[in-house]
Amino acid sequence: SYELTQPPSVSVSPGQTASITCSGDKLGDKYVCWYQQKPGQSPVLVIYQDSKRPSGIPERFSGSNSGNTATLTISGTQAMDEADYYCQAWDSSTALFGTGTKVTVL
Amino acid sequence: EVQLVESGGGLVQPGRSLRLSCAASGFTFDDYAMHWVRQAPGKGLEWVSGISWNSGSIGYADSVKGRFTISRDNAKNSLYLQMNSLRADDTALYYCTKRQGGRYGDYADNWFDPWGQGTLVTVSS
């Protein structure tokens, strides 16, 4: 079965850039979206169709997808960006989520 | 404003049944596919099931296939999840979410936005 793999954790200093990867076989052939989930809250969409930002999502969030890896990049990371992040894609009419990455802003 | 409000969760014994509901408002409910996604305590997100705008297309995760049934009532702007033969590993927060990125069509593809606050299902004796 198809799997999406993410690093369990990423640490970043305030103002620096955080990169979160999502790996899957030929993932670049699929659309990827990303969700942010803060403790005790529901997931929030931050990127869809690989690189598009919904209205209300800050410009510091960006995405890319090529080959076997999709990447969510947070530029100028702020303390409020500390959260769990999940990638998501579709395979054979099944929605798949990545394993999740905890972003810690030190 | 789009709102999704789940209800129906609770404590249930293994092997028993439970029915979840999701009340939708703020958008034309019968134009969009809807989904259930769950999250076990301390774990990641897992897609459970999706249903197209007219119930003509339905899908399930392998982990719930044959035990769970998704349905919708467009007249009541409501989404449902009938859960039978519940197991301990079904314990999770169940979210209702809207398929975004276009009206009508299949339940699959595109993205989920927004999400409800979730309803907690605990399966334990």
Side-chain angles (χ1 to χ4, degrees):
Chain A
S1 62
Y2 198 88
E3 294 182 351
L4 297 174
T5 303
Q6 300 178 232
S9 62
V10 167
S11 297
V12 59
S13 300
Q16 298 305 302
T17 296
S19 295
I20 307 162
T21 58
C22 174
S23 299
D25 185 48
K26 298 180 181 178
L27 186 56
D29 292 344
K30 306 177 187 297
Y31 274 131
V32 173
C33 56
W34 292 88
Y35 302 92
Q36 174 195 69
Q37 187 179 33
K38 296 182 179 180
Q41 298 185 19
S42 303
V44 172
L45 179 75
V46 293
I47 292 288
Y48 66 97
Q49 287 187 335
D50 296 340
S51 59
K52 298 179 180 178
R53 272 181 298 104
S55 60
I57 300 301
E59 291 184 7
R60 63 179 179 273
F61 288 88
S62 63
S64 64
N65 184 21
S66 179
N68 294 323
T69 304
T71 303
L72 174 69
T73 302
I74 312 173
S75 305
T77 307
Q78 300 184 9
M80 67 173 64
D81 300 328
E82 190 163 282
D84 293 327
Y85 291 83
Y86 296 90
C87 60
Q88 183 252 311
W90 287 88
D91 182 71
S92 301
S93 297
T94 296
L96 299 168
F97 288 93
T99 48
T101 298
K102 182 176 182 60
V103 170
T104 302
V105 182
L106 300 172
Chain B
E1 179 194 6
V2 174
Q3 280 202 318
L4 300 170
V5 180
E6 303 92 336
S7 61
L11 174 63
V12 61
Q13 294 179 327
R16 303 299 290 266
S17 300
L18 206 59
R19 189 196 196 205
L20 306 183
S21 300
C22 171
S25 61
F27 66 103
T28 305
F29 181 73
D30 51 9
D31 281 359
Y32 292 90
M34 298 292 295
H35 293 261
W36 290 98
V37 177
R38 69 184 181 183
Q39 186 170 34
K43 303 298 185 182
L45 301 171
E46 179 189 18
W47 177 75
V48 174
S49 182
I51 185 169
S52 64
W53 63 284
N54 63 353
S55 304
S57 174
I58 288 175
Y60 298 97
D62 287 343
S63 57
V64 306
K65 201 171 293 183
R67 300 188 299 123
F68 290 11
T69 302
I70 192 172
S71 63
R72 63 189 294 160
D73 185 338
N74 288 344
K76 296 182 177 180
N77 288 351
S78 293
L79 175 72
Y80 306 102
L81 186 68
Q82 178 66 43
M83 304 185 295
N84 298 333
S85 303
L86 282 162
R87 312 186 304 219
D89 61 359
D90 293 318
T91 295
L93 188 62
Y94 284 73
Y95 293 105
C96 165
T97 183
K98 171 174 170 275
R99 175 186 181 266
Q100 193 58 289
R103 296 175 173 179
Y104 310 123
D106 198 350
Y107 72 86
D109 299 324
N110 295 355
W111 50 96
F112 304 128
D113 183 48
W115 299 56
Q117 285 303 114
T119 186
L120 181 62
V121 174
T122 303
V123 184
S124 175
S125 55

mmCIF file of all heavy atoms in Angstrom, chain A residues 14-36:
data_model
loop_
_atom_site.group_PDB
_atom_site.id
_atom_site.type_symbol
_atom_site.label_atom_id
_atom_site.label_comp_id
_atom_site.label_asym_id
_atom_site.label_seq_id
_atom_site.Cartn_x
_atom_site.Cartn_y
_atom_site.Cartn_z
ATOM 1 N N PRO A 14 13.608 30.955 15.873
ATOM 2 C CA PRO A 14 12.708 32.016 15.374
ATOM 3 C C PRO A 14 13.384 32.830 14.279
ATOM 4 O O PRO A 14 14.564 33.175 14.385
ATOM 5 C CB PRO A 14 12.455 32.869 16.628
ATOM 6 C CG PRO A 14 12.680 31.935 17.768
ATOM 7 C CD PRO A 14 13.772 31.009 17.334
ATOM 8 N N GLY A 15 12.631 33.084 13.217
ATOM 9 C CA GLY A 15 13.162 33.862 12.109
ATOM 10 C C GLY A 15 13.876 33.046 11.051
ATOM 11 O O GLY A 15 14.150 33.552 9.962
ATOM 12 N N GLN A 16 14.176 31.795 11.368
ATOM 13 C CA GLN A 16 14.855 30.936 10.406
ATOM 14 C C GLN A 16 13.839 30.164 9.559
ATOM 15 O O GLN A 16 12.632 30.294 9.733
ATOM 16 C CB GLN A 16 15.800 29.979 11.135
ATOM 17 C CG GLN A 16 16.904 30.700 11.909
ATOM 18 C CD GLN A 16 17.701 31.632 11.010
ATOM 19 O OE1 GLN A 16 18.290 31.205 10.013
ATOM 20 N NE2 GLN A 16 17.731 32.921 11.359
ATOM 21 N N THR A 17 14.373 29.350 8.657
ATOM 22 C CA THR A 17 13.526 28.590 7.738
ATOM 23 C C THR A 17 13.415 27.137 8.172
ATOM 24 O O THR A 17 14.426 26.491 8.459
ATOM 25 C CB THR A 17 14.101 28.650 6.307
ATOM 26 O OG1 THR A 17 14.081 30.004 5.836
ATOM 27 C CG2 THR A 17 13.285 27.784 5.359
ATOM 28 N N ALA A 18 12.185 26.657 8.207
ATOM 29 C CA ALA A 18 11.922 25.250 8.513
ATOM 30 C C ALA A 18 11.468 24.552 7.243
ATOM 31 O O ALA A 18 10.603 25.073 6.518
ATOM 32 C CB ALA A 18 10.855 25.126 9.586
ATOM 33 N N SER A 19 12.039 23.390 6.991
ATOM 34 C CA SER A 19 11.638 22.591 5.831
ATOM 35 C C SER A 19 11.162 21.225 6.307
ATOM 36 O O SER A 19 11.881 20.527 7.018
ATOM 37 C CB SER A 19 12.805 22.424 4.852
ATOM 38 O OG SER A 19 13.164 23.672 4.293
ATOM 39 N N ILE A 20 9.975 20.869 5.897
ATOM 40 C CA ILE A 20 9.366 19.590 6.282
ATOM 41 C C ILE A 20 9.157 18.772 5.017
ATOM 42 O O ILE A 20 8.502 19.228 4.084
ATOM 43 C CB ILE A 20 8.022 19.804 6.983
ATOM 44 C CG1 ILE A 20 8.175 20.784 8.152
ATOM 45 C CG2 ILE A 20 7.444 18.479 7.454
ATOM 46 C CD1 ILE A 20 6.862 21.384 8.607
ATOM 47 N N THR A 21 9.708 17.572 5.001
ATOM 48 C CA THR A 21 9.600 16.746 3.813
ATOM 49 C C THR A 21 8.523 15.683 3.965
ATOM 50 O O THR A 21 8.164 15.274 5.072
ATOM 51 C CB THR A 21 10.929 16.065 3.483
ATOM 52 O OG1 THR A 21 11.332 15.282 4.618
ATOM 53 C CG2 THR A 21 11.999 17.097 3.162
ATOM 54 N N CYS A 22 8.029 15.244 2.838
ATOM 55 C CA CYS A 22 7.015 14.195 2.753
ATOM 56 C C CYS A 22 7.413 13.319 1.582
ATOM 57 O O CYS A 22 7.480 13.804 0.442
ATOM 58 C CB CYS A 22 5.649 14.829 2.535
ATOM 59 S SG CYS A 22 4.286 13.683 2.227
ATOM 60 N N SER A 23 7.710 12.056 1.857
ATOM 61 C CA SER A 23 8.233 11.180 0.817
ATOM 62 C C SER A 23 7.276 10.059 0.475
ATOM 63 O O SER A 23 6.662 9.446 1.349
ATOM 64 C CB SER A 23 9.564 10.578 1.280
ATOM 65 O OG SER A 23 10.516 11.575 1.526
ATOM 66 N N GLY A 24 7.174 9.785 -0.824
ATOM 67 C CA GLY A 24 6.343 8.693 -1.308
ATOM 68 C C GLY A 24 6.724 8.356 -2.733
ATOM 69 O O GLY A 24 7.252 9.218 -3.452
ATOM 70 N N ASP A 25 6.460 7.142 -3.137
ATOM 71 C CA ASP A 25 6.834 6.703 -4.474
ATOM 72 C C ASP A 25 6.165 7.556 -5.557
ATOM 73 O O ASP A 25 4.933 7.659 -5.606
ATOM 74 C CB ASP A 25 6.435 5.228 -4.648
ATOM 75 C CG ASP A 25 6.902 4.664 -5.971
ATOM 76 O OD1 ASP A 25 8.077 4.864 -6.306
ATOM 77 O OD2 ASP A 25 6.073 4.036 -6.670
ATOM 78 N N LYS A 26 6.962 8.183 -6.381
ATOM 79 C CA LYS A 26 6.475 9.048 -7.471
ATOM 80 C C LYS A 26 5.456 10.068 -6.956
ATOM 81 O O LYS A 26 4.447 10.353 -7.620
ATOM 82 C CB LYS A 26 5.873 8.203 -8.587
ATOM 83 C CG LYS A 26 6.899 7.265 -9.237
ATOM 84 C CD LYS A 26 6.264 6.436 -10.354
ATOM 85 C CE LYS A 26 7.288 5.496 -10.971
ATOM 86 N NZ LYS A 26 6.688 4.643 -12.032
ATOM 87 N N LEU A 27 5.733 10.620 -5.790
ATOM 88 C CA LEU A 27 4.801 11.574 -5.189
ATOM 89 C C LEU A 27 4.597 12.794 -6.085
ATOM 90 O O LEU A 27 3.537 13.412 -6.076
ATOM 91 C CB LEU A 27 5.308 12.001 -3.805
ATOM 92 C CG LEU A 27 4.398 12.878 -2.969
ATOM 93 C CD1 LEU A 27 3.027 12.243 -2.763
ATOM 94 C CD2 LEU A 27 5.049 13.200 -1.629
ATOM 95 N N GLY A 28 5.615 13.126 -6.850
ATOM 96 C CA GLY A 28 5.510 14.273 -7.736
ATOM 97 C C GLY A 28 4.423 14.133 -8.797
ATOM 98 O O GLY A 28 4.026 15.130 -9.405
ATOM 99 N N ASP A 29 3.944 12.935 -9.003
ATOM 100 C CA ASP A 29 2.862 12.715 -9.962
ATOM 101 C C ASP A 29 1.487 12.965 -9.348
ATOM 102 O O ASP A 29 0.466 12.896 -10.049
ATOM 103 C CB ASP A 29 2.900 11.272 -10.479
ATOM 104 C CG ASP A 29 4.107 10.996 -11.344
ATOM 105 O OD1 ASP A 29 4.756 11.974 -11.804
ATOM 106 O OD2 ASP A 29 4.432 9.815 -11.559
ATOM 107 N N LYS A 30 1.477 13.233 -8.058
ATOM 108 C CA LYS A 30 0.217 13.468 -7.360
ATOM 109 C C LYS A 30 0.203 14.894 -6.813
ATOM 110 O O LYS A 30 1.249 15.521 -6.643
ATOM 111 C CB LYS A 30 0.084 12.501 -6.171
ATOM 112 C CG LYS A 30 0.249 11.030 -6.520
ATOM 113 C CD LYS A 30 0.180 10.180 -5.261
ATOM 114 C CE LYS A 30 0.510 8.710 -5.535
ATOM 115 N NZ LYS A 30 -0.456 8.089 -6.448
ATOM 116 N N TYR A 31 -0.983 15.391 -6.506
ATOM 117 C CA TYR A 31 -1.099 16.658 -5.792
ATOM 118 C C TYR A 31 -0.952 16.390 -4.294
ATOM 119 O O TYR A 31 -1.498 15.430 -3.756
ATOM 120 C CB TYR A 31 -2.453 17.314 -6.054
ATOM 121 C CG TYR A 31 -2.513 18.153 -7.296
ATOM 122 C CD1 TYR A 31 -3.549 17.997 -8.212
ATOM 123 C CD2 TYR A 31 -1.547 19.115 -7.566
ATOM 124 C CE1 TYR A 31 -3.635 18.780 -9.351
ATOM 125 C CE2 TYR A 31 -1.610 19.908 -8.702
ATOM 126 C CZ TYR A 31 -2.652 19.727 -9.590
ATOM 127 O OH TYR A 31 -2.724 20.509 -10.723
ATOM 128 N N VAL A 32 -0.231 17.283 -3.629
ATOM 129 C CA VAL A 32 -0.021 17.181 -2.185
ATOM 130 C C VAL A 32 -0.582 18.423 -1.504
ATOM 131 O O VAL A 32 -0.466 19.536 -2.031
ATOM 132 C CB VAL A 32 1.477 17.031 -1.855
ATOM 133 C CG1 VAL A 32 1.709 17.106 -0.342
ATOM 134 C CG2 VAL A 32 2.011 15.716 -2.405
ATOM 135 N N CYS A 33 -1.190 18.226 -0.359
ATOM 136 C CA CYS A 33 -1.581 19.364 0.462
ATOM 137 C C CYS A 33 -1.015 19.172 1.870
ATOM 138 O O CYS A 33 -0.534 18.086 2.210
ATOM 139 C CB CYS A 33 -3.091 19.546 0.482
ATOM 140 S SG CYS A 33 -4.020 18.123 1.017
ATOM 141 N N TRP A 34 -1.036 20.232 2.627
ATOM 142 C CA TRP A 34 -0.442 20.232 3.961
ATOM 143 C C TRP A 34 -1.433 20.822 4.964
ATOM 144 O O TRP A 34 -2.118 21.809 4.677
ATOM 145 C CB TRP A 34 0.835 21.066 3.977
ATOM 146 C CG TRP A 34 1.964 20.482 3.203
ATOM 147 C CD1 TRP A 34 2.237 20.670 1.873
ATOM 148 C CD2 TRP A 34 2.997 19.633 3.716
ATOM 149 N NE1 TRP A 34 3.371 19.980 1.518
ATOM 150 C CE2 TRP A 34 3.858 19.337 2.639
ATOM 151 C CE3 TRP A 34 3.288 19.093 4.968
ATOM 152 C CZ2 TRP A 34 4.992 18.519 2.782
ATOM 153 C CZ3 TRP A 34 4.406 18.291 5.111
ATOM 154 C CH2 TRP A 34 5.242 18.014 4.029
ATOM 155 N N TYR A 35 -1.445 20.214 6.154
ATOM 156 C CA TYR A 35 -2.296 20.683 7.234
ATOM 157 C C TYR A 35 -1.450 20.987 8.462
ATOM 158 O O TYR A 35 -0.500 20.249 8.768
ATOM 159 C CB TYR A 35 -3.350 19.631 7.596
ATOM 160 C CG TYR A 35 -4.241 19.251 6.427
ATOM 161 C CD1 TYR A 35 -3.900 18.185 5.612
ATOM 162 C CD2 TYR A 35 -5.378 19.980 6.125
ATOM 163 C CE1 TYR A 35 -4.683 17.843 4.522
ATOM 164 C CE2 TYR A 35 -6.179 19.644 5.037
ATOM 165 C CZ TYR A 35 -5.814 18.571 4.248
ATOM 166 O OH TYR A 35 -6.598 18.239 3.162
ATOM 167 N N GLN A 36 -1.833 22.031 9.165
ATOM 168 C CA GLN A 36 -1.211 22.406 10.430
ATOM 169 C C GLN A 36 -2.186 22.073 11.545
ATOM 170 O O GLN A 36 -3.369 22.379 11.450
ATOM 171 C CB GLN A 36 -0.925 23.913 10.431
ATOM 172 C CG GLN A 36 -0.397 24.468 11.741
ATOM 173 C CD GLN A 36 -0.485 25.990 11.782
ATOM 174 O OE1 GLN A 36 -1.556 26.562 11.844
ATOM 175 N NE2 GLN A 36 0.665 26.654 11.722
#
